[in-house]
Amino acid sequence: MYLTSKLEIALRKLSQMNSQRILKRDTELWNALQDYLNKTSSTGCGYIDYACLYETIRKSKPVEVLECGTGVSTLIIAHALKQNEFETGVIGHVTSMEEHAEWLEMSRQLLPPQYSKYVSFELSDTIEDRYSVFRGVRYANIPDKAYDFVFVDGPKYDSPLDGGATFDFDFIHVLRRAERPVGGLIDKRLSTVFVLQQLLGTDKVKYSAVAGLGYIEPCTKSDLGTLATSISSNNFTESLRVFGNSRLSILKNR
């Protein structure tokens, strides 16, 4: 365990250095990022998160992005969309959700004006929501748009009903309404990665311990199957073992 921890720390340091190199290649982005970091009190993400988010948006070229938790990542997404527009001529947009008015206003004030056309900020309370046997927390007032990418870095996932720990429900909320594939990135929220792996499988949802990020491959609502309306012992039969411990999975009826 000690050696694993030491190796993970070393690999994370290397990843941090490489992430800074990636971001520095784009002078406009790097300068805007440093200026933003010098002014903000947000500490939610780091250079690994910024680089992974930037490269993912640049590669997948989404048109409608849902950002759960506004902040420095809003700048990263907006710049990536700006670069995508330069290449493709398609104007992408990010809807940035936030539950705290002071954080939202700070982000609105700090966002450089050249990115304003790519971003809309939305203040929203949170509510508890459920899918099959899982309960989570999501923003209550997510605008109804055809999102094709979700970045999960909020809201707090303590239940507003009883304070119990849950997970971030926003990706499921988007996916169960989606008419086209939706991809995503999850920042350091292991309970969210865990639940999505149970619902969508590890082929669709992967986690990097070094980056501290969950990667969601493009999914459709059909990947959720019928678990919301139909679940029984039959869902678990394929994971049962006669010898040894049975690690139960509910993926059969996806």
Side-chain angles (χ1 to χ4, degrees), residues 132-197:
S132 188
V133 296
F134 300 102
R135 68 169 185 161
V137 175
R138 67 172 176 86
Y139 292 105
N141 302 312
I142 299 174
D144 187 12
K145 298 179 182 179
Y147 300 107
D148 48 3
F149 188 86
V150 180
F151 177 58
V152 180
D153 190 31
K156 290 183 178 180
Y157 45 83
D158 296 336
S159 170
L161 299 181
D162 59 19
T166 63
F167 74 102
D168 285 297
F169 196 91
D170 298 275
F171 186 83
I172 295 176
H173 176 71
V174 169
L175 185 60
R176 64 185 176 183
R177 298 161 172 247
E179 298 299 330
R180 57 181 176 176
V182 185
L185 198 63
I186 306 166
D187 185 42
K188 300 179 183 67
R189 292 168 181 265
L190 290 176
S191 64
T192 303
V193 174
F194 171 77
V195 172
L196 292 182
Q197 285 185 337

Side-chain angles (χ1 to χ4, degrees), residues 113-131:
Q114 66 266 32
Y115 301 123
S116 60
K117 79 172 186 177
Y118 304 100
V119 182
S120 62
F121 294 97
E122 298 286 342
L123 182 65
S124 174
D125 292 330
T126 58
I127 58 173
E128 185 174 295
D129 206 342
R130 294 174 182 269
Y131 191 88

Side-chain angles (χ1 to χ4, degrees), residues 5-21:
S5 178
K6 293 281 283 186
L7 177 60
E8 185 178 321
I9 291 171
L11 290 174
R12 187 164 181 81
K13 285 182 177 178
L14 288 173
S15 183
Q16 190 92 346
M17 293 169 59
N18 184 56
S19 296
Q20 291 187 46
R21 282 195 292 268

